[in-house]
Amino acid sequence: VVSTQSTWGGREAEEFPLVPGDVLIIKGAKIGDFHGRNLQKVFSTKLFYDAERLAAFLPAIRNLIQWSKTTSWEERPLVPVGRKTGARLVPTISELLAEAEVAVADGEPKMFKCYGWVTEILHERMFYPACPHCNKKAGPGDARGRIYCENCGRPSESAATRYMVQAKVSDHTNFLKVLIMDEEAKELFGRDAGELEAIQTLNAAEFKTALTEALFRERLWTVQARFDEYNPHFRVKFVIKGLEAPDFVTANATMLETLENFA
């Protein structure tokens, strides 16, 4: 048996007549795998509560009802579904995209984890001049290069160079357009923004090699999802908040444990 979750609203929630152990028939729902199997209502989804009547016409439903009556609710085995890290289920990127749209509807940022590879880096605007005190974008300096930060109100002799990288993180199901800020980009490229910007200016071949070396290495990403206003619509914006190499030893041990549950 696969444990599944589903959330219903409106008339279905108000008139829901069943209790734990009853048989519910769902037709035309969207199936996802985020944190285990889940069912999402779409326009064509229908719920059938009168399973006993339908059982007269459909043998599969008769078998389901018979199984339900002869096995207690507590005795039914539940098989976990999903890829794990430690004890946590990690969604695919397709699942993360679907879940994030719902999760951030309250206007609050939410954190997710996913496995994936950087498959594209937009190198045209990877760096920005920042105030060395608050890290916000600095305006143009005076004739001597001194800047005055409009955010924190503090003057500086010069701006600091920081990362603000637009990239795609992909897995076998989909991709995320993400923003990778300074600390995470340092870990991704193995050097600070000022150094890589200088390489971009002085040695195009070395710069290309540095970007290529960051591609197609699997990582476990910590992603922040939040609503963002964009010309003039709202979209879900994804910002990388952490990255680490996958722990394959732990992942393999967890996978073996999961497979044993099917036995």
Side-chain angles (χ1 to χ4, degrees):
V1 179
V2 176
S3 175
T4 186
Q5 296 184 2
S6 185
T7 302
W8 307 93
R11 182 176 59 83
E12 286 84 2
E14 294 173 356
E15 301 177 359
F16 197 75
L18 304 183
V19 297
D22 288 348
V23 176
L24 171 65
I25 302 169
I26 304 174
K27 178 181 178 182
K30 179 181 177 182
I31 300 175
D33 289 317
F34 187 80
H35 291 315
R37 294 287 184 182
N38 64 81
L39 298 176
Q40 302 172 20
K41 181 183 177 183
V42 295
F43 180 76
S44 60
T45 303
K46 293 183 179 180
L47 304 183
F48 298 94
Y49 310 119
D50 50 349
E52 293 281 1
R53 182 180 65 83
L54 292 176
F57 307 98
L58 300 174
I61 294 178
R62 286 201 299 270
N63 295 337
L64 178 61
I65 294 174
Q66 182 63 28
W67 170 81
S68 176
K69 289 180 176 179
T70 57
T71 308
S72 70
W73 184 252
E74 293 77 12
E75 293 173 345
R76 298 172 191 175
L78 300 177
V79 178
V81 178
R83 185 175 179 183
K84 292 186 177 181
T85 171
R88 297 187 60 189
L89 290 166
V90 177
T92 65
I93 288 178
S94 284
E95 294 162 354
L96 190 158
L97 285 166
E99 179 70 13
E101 287 191 6
V102 177
V104 301
D106 60 1
E108 295 296 324
K110 300 296 188 301
M111 303 298 290
F112 298 89
K113 284 185 178 289
C114 69
Y115 288 100
W117 302 261
V118 174
T119 53
E120 184 178 348
I121 297 171
L122 304 182
H123 62 270
E124 289 84 0
R125 297 191 299 272
M126 291 179 55
F127 315 100
Y128 72 97
C131 169
H133 305 295
C134 68
N135 297 330
K136 296 294 184 180
K137 187 174 182 179
D142 60 19
R144 295 177 55 187
R146 293 175 300 185
I147 64 168
Y148 182 82
C149 180
E150 295 182 358
N151 180 66
C152 69
R154 301 171 67 179
S156 302
E157 287 300 316
S158 62
T161 301
R162 293 178 66 85
Y163 285 110
M164 188 168 63
V165 181
Q166 298 179 68
K168 286 184 179 179
V169 173
S170 307
D171 68 1
H172 63 287
T173 66
N174 212 325
F175 66 87
L176 290 174
K177 291 183 179 180
V178 301
L179 194 63
I180 308 176
M181 301 305 292
D182 196 65
E183 291 302 319
E184 292 73 28
K186 284 180 185 177
E187 189 170 349
L188 179 66
F189 296 113
R191 61 192 84 196
D192 63 34
E195 181 183 354
L196 191 57
E197 185 182 41
I199 292 172
Q200 183 183 30
T201 303
L202 300 174
N203 191 326
E206 185 179 352
F207 176 72
K208 182 178 180 180
T209 298
L211 266 59
T212 301
E213 289 176 348
L215 300 176
F216 301 106
R217 294 183 179 179
E218 186 174 23
R219 294 174 173 87
L220 178 62
W221 303 88
T222 301
V223 185
Q224 182 194 70
R226 65 172 185 261
F227 265 132
D228 182 55
E229 189 171 1
Y230 182 75
N231 291 337
H233 305 290
F234 287 92
R235 63 177 180 178
V236 181
K237 183 177 183 179
F238 298 97
V239 180
I240 298 300
K241 293 295 185 179
L243 62 151
E244 58 188 282
D247 183 351
F248 292 112
V249 174
T250 301
N252 286 340
T254 304
M255 185 180 296
L256 287 173
E257 179 185 350
T258 302
L259 290 174
E260 288 174 356
N261 290 329
F262 284 93

